[in-house]
Coordinates of all heavy atoms in Angstrom, one line a residue:
Chain A
V491 N 51.6 109.9 119.1 CA 50.9 110.0 120.3 C 49.5 109.5 120.3 O 48.8 109.7 119.3 CB 50.9 111.5 120.7 CG1 50.0 111.8 121.9 CG2 52.3 112.0 121.0
D492 N 49.1 108.7 121.3 CA 47.8 108.1 121.3 C 46.7 109.1 121.5 O 46.9 110.3 121.9 CB 47.6 106.9 122.3 CG 47.5 107.4 123.7 OD1 46.6 108.2 124.0 OD2 48.3 107.0 124.5
I493 N 45.5 108.8 121.1 CA 44.4 109.8 121.1 C 44.1 110.4 122.5 O 43.9 111.6 122.6 CB 43.1 109.1 120.5 CG1 42.1 110.2 120.3 CG2 42.6 108.0 121.3 CD1 40.9 109.7 119.4
G494 N 44.3 109.5 123.5 CA 44.1 110.1 124.8 C 45.1 111.1 125.2 O 44.8 112.2 125.7
A495 N 46.3 110.7 124.9 CA 47.5 111.6 125.3 C 47.4 112.8 124.4 O 47.8 113.9 124.9 CB 48.8 110.9 125.0
R496 N 46.9 112.7 123.2 CA 46.8 113.9 122.3 C 45.8 114.9 123.0 O 46.1 116.1 123.0 CB 46.2 113.4 121.0 CG 46.5 114.2 119.8 CD 46.3 113.4 118.6 NE 45.0 113.6 118.1 CZ 44.5 112.8 117.1 NH1 45.2 111.8 116.7 NH2 43.3 112.9 116.7
H497 N 44.8 114.4 123.6 CA 43.9 115.3 124.3 C 44.6 115.9 125.5 O 44.4 117.1 125.7 CB 42.6 114.5 124.7 CG 41.6 114.3 123.6 ND1 40.4 115.0 123.6 CD2 41.7 113.6 122.5 CE1 39.7 114.6 122.5 NE2 40.5 113.8 121.8
D498 N 45.3 115.1 126.2 CA 46.1 115.6 127.3 C 47.0 116.7 126.9 O 47.0 117.8 127.5 CB 46.9 114.5 128.0 CG 46.1 113.4 128.6 OD1 44.9 113.6 128.8 OD2 46.7 112.4 128.9
I499 N 47.8 116.4 125.9 CA 48.8 117.4 125.4 C 48.0 118.7 125.0 O 48.4 119.8 125.3 CB 49.7 116.9 124.3 CG1 50.5 115.7 124.9 CG2 50.5 117.9 123.7 CD1 51.4 115.0 123.8
G500 N 47.0 118.5 124.1 CA 46.2 119.6 123.6 C 45.7 120.4 124.7 O 45.8 121.7 124.7
R501 N 45.1 119.8 125.7 CA 44.6 120.5 126.9 C 45.6 121.3 127.5 O 45.4 122.5 127.9 CB 43.9 119.5 127.8 CG 42.5 120.0 128.3 CD 41.8 119.1 129.4 NE 42.6 118.0 129.8 CZ 42.3 116.7 129.5 NH1 41.3 116.5 128.6 NH2 43.0 115.7 130.0
Q502 N 46.8 120.7 127.8 CA 47.9 121.4 128.4 C 48.3 122.6 127.7 O 48.5 123.7 128.2 CB 49.1 120.5 128.6 CG 49.0 119.6 129.8 CD 49.0 120.4 131.1 OE1 49.6 121.4 131.2 NE2 48.2 119.9 132.1
I503 N 48.4 122.4 126.4 CA 48.9 123.5 125.5 C 47.9 124.7 125.6 O 48.2 125.9 125.7 CB 49.1 123.1 124.1 CG1 50.3 122.2 124.0 CG2 49.3 124.3 123.1 CD1 50.5 121.4 122.7
R504 N 46.6 124.3 125.5 CA 45.6 125.4 125.5 C 45.5 126.0 126.9 O 45.3 127.2 127.0 CB 44.2 124.8 125.1 CG 44.1 124.5 123.6 CD 42.7 124.3 123.2 NE 41.9 125.4 123.3 CZ 41.9 126.4 122.5 NH1 42.6 126.4 121.4 NH2 41.1 127.5 122.7
A505 N 45.6 125.2 127.9 CA 45.5 125.7 129.3 C 46.6 126.7 129.6 O 46.5 127.6 130.4 CB 45.6 124.6 130.3
T506 N 47.8 126.5 129.0 CA 48.9 127.4 129.3 C 49.1 128.4 128.3 O 50.1 129.2 128.3 CB 50.2 126.6 129.4 OG1 50.4 125.9 128.1 CG2 50.2 125.5 130.5
A507 N 48.2 128.5 127.3 CA 48.4 129.4 126.2 C 48.4 130.9 126.5 O 49.0 131.7 125.8 CB 47.3 129.1 125.1
K508 N 47.8 131.2 127.6 CA 47.8 132.7 128.0 C 49.2 133.2 128.2 O 50.0 132.5 128.7 CB 47.0 132.8 129.3 CG 45.6 133.2 129.2 CD 45.1 134.4 129.9 CE 44.2 135.4 129.1 NZ 43.6 134.8 127.9
G509 N 49.4 134.4 127.7 CA 50.8 135.0 128.0 C 51.8 134.7 126.9 O 52.9 135.0 127.0
R510 N 51.4 134.0 125.8 CA 52.3 133.7 124.7 C 51.5 133.5 123.5 O 50.2 133.3 123.5 CB 53.1 132.5 125.0 CG 52.3 131.2 125.1 CD 53.1 129.9 124.8 NE 52.2 128.8 124.7 CZ 52.0 127.8 125.6 NH1 52.6 127.8 126.7 NH2 51.1 126.9 125.3
A511 N 52.1 133.5 122.4 CA 51.5 133.0 121.1 C 51.9 131.6 120.9 O 53.1 131.2 121.1 CB 51.9 133.9 120.0
T512 N 51.0 130.8 120.3 CA 51.4 129.4 120.1 C 51.1 129.0 118.6 O 50.0 129.3 118.1 CB 50.5 128.5 121.0 OG1 50.6 128.9 122.3 CG2 51.0 127.0 120.9
L513 N 52.1 128.4 118.0 CA 52.0 128.1 116.6 C 52.2 126.6 116.5 O 53.2 126.0 117.0 CB 53.1 128.8 115.8 CG 52.9 129.0 114.3 CD1 51.6 129.7 114.0 CD2 54.1 129.8 113.8
V514 N 51.2 125.8 116.0 CA 51.3 124.4 116.0 C 51.3 124.0 114.5 O 50.4 124.3 113.8 CB 50.1 123.7 116.7 CG1 50.3 122.2 116.7 CG2 50.0 124.3 118.1
C515 N 52.3 123.2 114.1 CA 52.4 122.8 112.7 C 52.0 121.3 112.7 O 52.6 120.5 113.3 CB 53.8 122.9 112.2 SG 54.4 124.6 112.2
V516 N 50.9 121.0 112.0 CA 50.4 119.6 111.9 C 50.1 119.3 110.4 O 49.6 120.2 109.7 CB 49.2 119.4 112.8 CG1 49.6 119.4 114.3 CG2 48.1 120.4 112.5
S517 N 50.3 118.1 110.0 CA 49.9 117.8 108.7 C 48.5 117.2 108.7 O 47.9 117.1 107.6 CB 51.0 116.8 108.0 OG 51.3 115.8 109.0
E518 N 48.0 116.7 109.8 CA 46.7 116.2 109.9 C 45.7 117.3 110.3 O 45.8 117.9 111.3 CB 46.6 115.1 111.0 CG 47.2 113.8 110.7 CD 46.3 113.0 109.9 OE1 45.4 112.3 110.4 OE2 46.4 113.1 108.6
I519 N 44.7 117.4 109.4 CA 43.7 118.5 109.7 C 42.9 118.2 111.0 O 42.6 119.1 111.8 CB 42.8 118.7 108.5 CG1 43.6 119.2 107.4 CG2 41.7 119.6 108.8 CD1 42.9 119.2 106.0
D520 N 42.6 116.9 111.3 CA 42.0 116.5 112.5 C 42.7 117.0 113.7 O 42.0 117.5 114.6 CB 42.1 114.9 112.7 CG 41.2 114.2 111.7 OD1 40.9 114.8 110.7 OD2 40.9 113.0 111.9
E521 N 44.0 116.9 113.7 CA 44.8 117.4 114.8 C 44.7 118.9 115.0 O 44.6 119.4 116.1 CB 46.2 116.9 114.7 CG 46.4 115.4 114.7 CD 47.8 115.0 114.3 OE1 48.6 115.8 114.0 OE2 48.0 113.8 114.3
A522 N 44.6 119.6 113.9 CA 44.5 121.0 113.9 C 43.2 121.4 114.6 O 43.2 122.3 115.4 CB 44.6 121.6 112.5
I523 N 42.2 120.7 114.2 CA 40.9 121.1 114.8 C 40.8 120.8 116.3 O 40.1 121.5 117.0 CB 39.8 120.3 114.1 CG1 39.7 120.8 112.6 CG2 38.4 120.4 114.8 CD1 38.8 120.0 111.8
E524 N 41.6 119.8 116.8 CA 41.5 119.5 118.2 C 42.2 120.5 119.1 O 42.1 120.5 120.3 CB 42.2 118.2 118.5 CG 41.3 117.0 118.2 CD 42.0 115.7 118.4 OE1 43.1 115.7 119.1 OE2 41.6 114.7 117.7

Side-chain angles (χ1 to χ4, degrees):
Chain A
V491 170
D492 76 54
I493 186 165
R496 207 158 89 193
H497 281 248
D498 293 347
I499 294 175
R501 225 184 1 254
Q502 276 299 325
I503 290 169
R504 289 195 62 80
T506 56
K508 266 234 135 19
R510 65 160 192 250
T512 309
L513 202 55
V514 186
C515 302
V516 289
S517 43
E518 283 281 275
I519 295 172
D520 291 21
E521 295 172 358
I523 292 172
E524 275 174 26

